[in-house]
CSV table of all heavy atoms in Angstrom, one decimal:
chain,number,residue,atom,x,y,z
H,37,VAL,N,100.5,87.7,110.8
H,37,VAL,CA,99.1,87.9,111.4
H,37,VAL,C,99.2,89.2,112.3
H,37,VAL,O,98.3,90.1,112.2
H,37,VAL,CB,98.6,86.7,112.3
H,37,VAL,CG1,97.5,87.1,113.2
H,37,VAL,CG2,98.4,85.5,111.4
H,40,GLY,N,99.8,92.1,109.9
H,40,GLY,CA,98.7,92.4,109.0
H,40,GLY,C,97.5,93.0,109.7
H,40,GLY,O,96.9,93.9,109.2
H,41,LEU,N,97.3,92.6,111.0
H,41,LEU,CA,96.2,93.2,111.8
H,41,LEU,C,96.5,94.7,112.0
H,41,LEU,O,95.6,95.6,112.0
H,41,LEU,CB,96.0,92.4,113.1
H,41,LEU,CG,95.4,91.0,112.9
H,41,LEU,CD1,95.3,90.3,114.3
H,41,LEU,CD2,94.0,91.1,112.3
H,44,ALA,N,96.0,96.7,108.9
H,44,ALA,CA,94.6,96.9,108.6
H,44,ALA,C,94.0,97.9,109.5
H,44,ALA,O,93.1,98.7,109.1
H,44,ALA,CB,93.9,95.6,108.6
H,101,CYS,N,103.2,87.5,104.0
H,101,CYS,CA,102.0,87.1,104.8
H,101,CYS,C,101.3,88.3,105.4
H,101,CYS,O,100.1,88.3,105.5
H,101,CYS,CB,102.4,86.2,105.9
H,101,CYS,SG,101.1,85.3,106.8
H,103,GLU,N,100.7,91.2,104.0
H,103,GLU,CA,99.8,91.8,103.0
H,103,GLU,C,98.6,90.8,102.7
H,103,GLU,O,97.5,91.3,102.5
H,103,GLU,CB,100.5,92.0,101.7
H,103,GLU,CG,101.5,93.2,101.8
H,103,GLU,CD,100.7,94.5,102.3
H,103,GLU,OE1,99.7,94.8,101.6
H,103,GLU,OE2,101.2,95.0,103.2
H,104,ILE,N,98.9,89.5,102.9
H,104,ILE,CA,97.8,88.5,102.7
H,104,ILE,C,96.8,88.7,103.8
H,104,ILE,O,95.6,88.6,103.6
H,104,ILE,CB,98.4,87.1,102.7
H,104,ILE,CG1,99.3,86.9,101.5
H,104,ILE,CG2,97.3,86.0,102.8
H,104,ILE,CD1,100.1,85.5,101.4
H,105,VAL,N,97.3,88.8,105.1
H,105,VAL,CA,96.4,89.0,106.2
H,105,VAL,C,95.6,90.3,106.1
H,105,VAL,O,94.4,90.4,106.4
H,105,VAL,CB,97.2,88.8,107.5
H,105,VAL,CG1,96.3,89.3,108.7
H,105,VAL,CG2,97.7,87.5,107.7
H,106,ARG,N,96.4,91.3,105.8
H,106,ARG,CA,95.8,92.7,105.6
H,106,ARG,C,94.7,92.7,104.6
H,106,ARG,O,93.6,93.2,104.9
H,106,ARG,CB,96.8,93.7,105.2
H,106,ARG,CG,96.3,95.2,105.2
H,106,ARG,CD,97.3,96.1,104.8
H,106,ARG,NE,97.7,96.1,103.4
H,106,ARG,CZ,97.0,96.7,102.4
H,106,ARG,NH1,96.1,97.6,102.8
H,106,ARG,NH2,97.3,96.7,101.2
H,107,GLY,N,94.9,92.0,103.5
H,107,GLY,CA,93.9,91.9,102.5
H,107,GLY,C,92.6,91.1,102.9
H,107,GLY,O,91.5,91.5,102.7
H,108,GLY,N,92.9,90.1,103.7
H,108,GLY,CA,91.8,89.3,104.3
H,108,GLY,C,91.0,90.1,105.2
H,108,GLY,O,89.7,90.0,105.2
H,109,VAL,N,91.6,90.9,106.1
H,109,VAL,CA,90.8,91.7,107.0
H,109,VAL,C,90.0,92.7,106.4
H,109,VAL,O,88.8,93.0,106.7
H,109,VAL,CB,91.8,92.3,108.1
H,109,VAL,CG1,91.2,93.3,109.0
H,109,VAL,CG2,92.5,91.2,108.9
H,110,LEU,N,90.6,93.4,105.4
H,110,LEU,CA,89.9,94.4,104.6
H,110,LEU,C,88.8,93.9,103.8
H,110,LEU,O,87.9,94.7,103.4
H,110,LEU,CB,90.9,95.3,103.8
H,110,LEU,CG,92.0,96.0,104.6
H,110,LEU,CD1,92.9,96.8,103.6
H,110,LEU,CD2,91.3,97.0,105.6
H,111,ALA,N,88.8,92.6,103.5
H,111,ALA,CA,87.8,92.0,102.6
H,111,ALA,C,86.5,91.8,103.5
H,111,ALA,O,85.5,91.5,102.9
H,111,ALA,CB,88.3,90.7,102.1
H,112,VAL,N,86.6,91.8,104.8
H,112,VAL,CA,85.4,91.7,105.7
H,112,VAL,C,84.5,92.8,105.4
H,112,VAL,O,84.9,94.0,105.6
H,112,VAL,CB,85.7,91.5,107.1
H,112,VAL,CG1,84.5,91.3,108.0
H,112,VAL,CG2,86.7,90.4,107.3
H,113,PRO,N,83.2,92.7,105.1
H,113,PRO,CA,82.3,93.8,104.7
H,113,PRO,C,82.2,94.7,106.0
H,113,PRO,O,81.9,94.2,107.1
H,113,PRO,CB,81.0,93.0,104.4
H,113,PRO,CG,81.4,91.7,104.0
H,113,PRO,CD,82.6,91.3,104.8
H,116,LEU,N,79.1,94.0,108.1
H,116,LEU,CA,79.1,93.0,109.0
H,116,LEU,C,79.7,93.3,110.3
H,116,LEU,O,79.2,93.0,111.3
H,116,LEU,CB,79.8,91.7,108.3
H,116,LEU,CG,79.9,90.4,109.1
H,116,LEU,CD1,78.5,89.9,109.2
H,116,LEU,CD2,80.8,89.5,108.3
H,117,ARG,N,80.8,94.1,110.3
H,117,ARG,CA,81.4,94.6,111.5
H,117,ARG,C,80.5,95.5,112.3
H,117,ARG,O,80.4,95.5,113.5
H,117,ARG,CB,82.7,95.2,111.2
H,117,ARG,CG,83.7,94.3,110.4
H,117,ARG,CD,85.1,94.8,110.5
H,117,ARG,NE,85.6,94.8,111.9
H,117,ARG,CZ,86.8,95.1,112.2
H,117,ARG,NH1,87.7,95.6,111.4
H,117,ARG,NH2,87.2,95.1,113.5
H,130,ASP,N,84.5,91.1,118.4
H,130,ASP,CA,84.3,91.3,116.9
H,130,ASP,C,85.4,90.8,116.1
H,130,ASP,O,85.2,90.1,115.1
H,130,ASP,CB,84.0,92.8,116.6
H,130,ASP,CG,84.0,93.1,115.1
H,130,ASP,OD1,83.3,92.5,114.4
H,130,ASP,OD2,84.8,94.0,114.7
H,131,LEU,N,86.6,91.0,116.7
H,131,LEU,CA,87.9,90.6,115.9
H,131,LEU,C,87.9,89.1,116.0
H,131,LEU,O,88.2,88.4,115.0
H,131,LEU,CB,89.1,91.2,116.6
H,131,LEU,CG,90.4,90.9,116.0
H,131,LEU,CD1,90.5,91.5,114.6
H,131,LEU,CD2,91.5,91.3,116.9
H,132,ARG,N,87.6,88.4,117.1
H,132,ARG,CA,87.7,87.0,117.3
H,132,ARG,C,86.6,86.3,116.6
H,132,ARG,O,86.9,85.2,115.9
H,132,ARG,CB,87.7,86.7,118.8
H,132,ARG,CG,87.8,85.1,119.1
H,132,ARG,CD,87.8,84.8,120.5
H,132,ARG,NE,87.8,83.5,120.8
H,132,ARG,CZ,87.7,82.9,122.0
H,132,ARG,NH1,87.7,83.7,123.1
H,132,ARG,NH2,87.7,81.6,122.2
H,133,TYR,N,85.4,86.6,116.7
H,133,TYR,CA,84.3,85.8,116.2
H,133,TYR,C,83.8,86.2,114.8
H,133,TYR,O,83.2,85.4,114.1
H,133,TYR,CB,83.1,85.9,117.2
H,133,TYR,CG,83.4,85.3,118.5
H,133,TYR,CD1,83.5,86.2,119.6
H,133,TYR,CD2,83.6,83.9,118.7
H,133,TYR,CE1,83.8,85.6,120.9
H,133,TYR,CE2,83.9,83.5,119.9
H,133,TYR,CZ,84.0,84.3,121.1
H,133,TYR,OH,84.3,83.8,122.3
H,134,ILE,N,84.1,87.4,114.3
H,134,ILE,CA,83.6,87.9,113.0
H,134,ILE,C,84.8,88.1,112.0
H,134,ILE,O,84.8,87.4,111.0
H,134,ILE,CB,82.9,89.2,113.2
H,134,ILE,CG1,81.7,89.1,114.2
H,134,ILE,CG2,82.3,89.7,111.8
H,134,ILE,CD1,80.7,88.0,113.7
H,135,VAL,N,85.7,88.9,112.4
H,135,VAL,CA,86.8,89.3,111.5
H,135,VAL,C,87.7,88.2,111.2
H,135,VAL,O,88.0,87.8,110.0
H,135,VAL,CB,87.6,90.5,112.0
H,135,VAL,CG1,88.8,90.8,111.0
H,135,VAL,CG2,86.7,91.7,112.1
H,136,LEU,N,88.3,87.5,112.2
H,136,LEU,CA,89.3,86.5,111.9
H,136,LEU,C,88.8,85.3,111.2
H,136,LEU,O,89.4,84.8,110.2
H,136,LEU,CB,90.0,86.1,113.2
H,136,LEU,CG,90.9,87.1,113.9
H,136,LEU,CD1,91.5,86.6,115.1
H,136,LEU,CD2,92.0,87.5,112.9
H,137,PRO,N,87.6,84.8,111.5
H,137,PRO,CA,87.1,83.6,110.7
H,137,PRO,C,86.8,83.9,109.3
H,137,PRO,O,87.2,83.2,108.4
H,137,PRO,CB,85.8,83.3,111.4
H,137,PRO,CG,85.9,83.8,112.8
H,137,PRO,CD,86.7,85.0,112.7
H,138,VAL,N,86.3,85.1,109.0
H,138,VAL,CA,86.1,85.5,107.6
H,138,VAL,C,87.4,85.8,106.9
H,138,VAL,O,87.6,85.4,105.7
H,138,VAL,CB,85.1,86.7,107.5
H,138,VAL,CG1,84.9,87.1,106.1
H,138,VAL,CG2,83.8,86.4,108.1
H,139,ALA,N,88.2,86.6,107.5
H,139,ALA,CA,89.5,86.9,107.0
H,139,ALA,C,90.4,85.7,106.7
H,139,ALA,O,91.1,85.6,105.7
H,139,ALA,CB,90.3,87.9,107.8
H,140,THR,N,90.3,84.7,107.6
H,140,THR,CA,91.1,83.4,107.4
H,140,THR,C,90.7,82.7,106.1
H,140,THR,O,91.6,82.3,105.4
H,140,THR,CB,90.9,82.5,108.6
H,140,THR,OG1,91.4,83.2,109.9
H,140,THR,CG2,91.8,81.2,108.4
H,141,ARG,N,89.4,82.6,105.9
H,141,ARG,CA,88.9,81.9,104.7
H,141,ARG,C,89.4,82.7,103.4
H,141,ARG,O,89.7,82.1,102.4
H,141,ARG,CB,87.5,81.8,104.7
H,141,ARG,CG,87.0,80.9,105.9
H,141,ARG,CD,85.6,80.5,105.8
H,141,ARG,NE,85.1,79.8,107.0
H,141,ARG,CZ,84.0,79.1,107.0
H,141,ARG,NH1,83.2,79.1,106.0
H,141,ARG,NH2,83.6,78.5,108.2
H,142,VAL,N,89.3,84.0,103.4
H,142,VAL,CA,89.7,84.8,102.3
H,142,VAL,C,91.2,84.7,102.1
H,142,VAL,O,91.6,84.6,101.0
H,142,VAL,CB,89.3,86.3,102.5
H,142,VAL,CG1,89.9,87.2,101.4
H,142,VAL,CG2,87.8,86.4,102.6
H,143,ALA,N,92.0,84.8,103.2
H,143,ALA,CA,93.5,84.8,103.0
H,143,ALA,C,94.1,83.4,102.8
H,143,ALA,O,95.2,83.4,102.3
H,143,ALA,CB,94.0,85.4,104.3
H,144,PHE,N,93.3,82.4,103.2
H,144,PHE,CA,94.0,81.0,103.1
H,144,PHE,C,94.5,80.6,101.8
H,144,PHE,O,95.7,80.1,101.7
H,144,PHE,CB,93.0,80.0,103.5
H,144,PHE,CG,93.6,78.6,103.6
H,144,PHE,CD1,94.4,78.2,104.7
H,144,PHE,CD2,93.3,77.7,102.6
H,144,PHE,CE1,94.9,77.0,104.7
H,144,PHE,CE2,93.8,76.4,102.7
H,144,PHE,CZ,94.7,76.1,103.8
H,145,PRO,N,93.9,80.8,100.6
H,145,PRO,CA,94.5,80.5,99.3
H,145,PRO,C,95.8,81.2,99.1
H,145,PRO,O,96.7,80.6,98.6
H,145,PRO,CB,93.4,80.8,98.2
H,145,PRO,CG,92.1,80.8,99.0
H,145,PRO,CD,92.5,81.3,100.4
H,146,GLY,N,95.9,82.5,99.4
H,146,GLY,CA,97.1,83.2,99.3
H,146,GLY,C,98.2,82.7,100.2
H,146,GLY,O,99.4,82.6,99.8
H,147,TRP,N,97.8,82.3,101.4
H,147,TRP,CA,98.8,81.8,102.3
H,147,TRP,C,99.3,80.4,101.8
H,147,TRP,O,100.5,80.2,101.9
H,147,TRP,CB,98.1,81.6,103.7
H,147,TRP,CG,99.0,81.0,104.8
H,147,TRP,CD1,99.9,81.7,105.6
H,147,TRP,CD2,99.2,79.6,105.1
H,147,TRP,NE1,100.6,80.8,106.4
H,147,TRP,CE2,100.2,79.6,106.2
H,147,TRP,CE3,98.6,78.5,104.7
H,147,TRP,CZ2,100.5,78.4,106.7
H,147,TRP,CZ3,99.0,77.2,105.2
H,147,TRP,CH2,99.9,77.2,106.2
H,209,GLU,N,89.9,73.5,102.9
H,209,GLU,CA,88.9,74.5,102.3
H,209,GLU,C,87.6,73.8,102.1
H,209,GLU,O,86.5,74.4,102.3
H,209,GLU,CB,89.5,75.0,100.9
H,209,GLU,CG,90.5,76.0,101.1
H,209,GLU,CD,90.7,76.8,99.8
H,209,GLU,OE1,91.4,76.2,98.8
H,209,GLU,OE2,90.3,77.9,99.6
H,212,TRP,N,85.8,73.7,105.4
H,212,TRP,CA,85.2,75.0,105.7
H,212,TRP,C,83.9,75.2,105.0
H,212,TRP,O,82.9,75.7,105.5
H,212,TRP,CB,86.2,76.1,105.4
H,212,TRP,CG,87.2,76.3,106.4
H,212,TRP,CD1,87.2,75.9,107.8
H,212,TRP,CD2,88.4,77.0,106.2
H,212,TRP,NE1,88.3,76.3,108.4
H,212,TRP,CE2,89.1,76.9,107.5
H,212,TRP,CE3,89.1,77.5,105.1
H,212,TRP,CZ2,90.3,77.5,107.7
H,212,TRP,CZ3,90.3,78.1,105.4
H,212,TRP,CH2,91.0,78.1,106.6
Side-chain angles (χ1 to χ4, degrees):
V37 168
L41 291 174
C101 192
E103 290 305 305
I104 292 171
V105 172
R106 186 180 74 89
V109 171
L110 295 179
V112 179
L116 185 61
R117 301 199 65 179
D130 170 52
L131 185 66
R132 178 180 176 183
Y133 297 110
I134 304 298
V135 175
L136 288 181
V138 175
T140 299
R141 297 190 186 194
V142 173
F144 183 76
W147 180 86
E209 281 193 287
W212 277 339

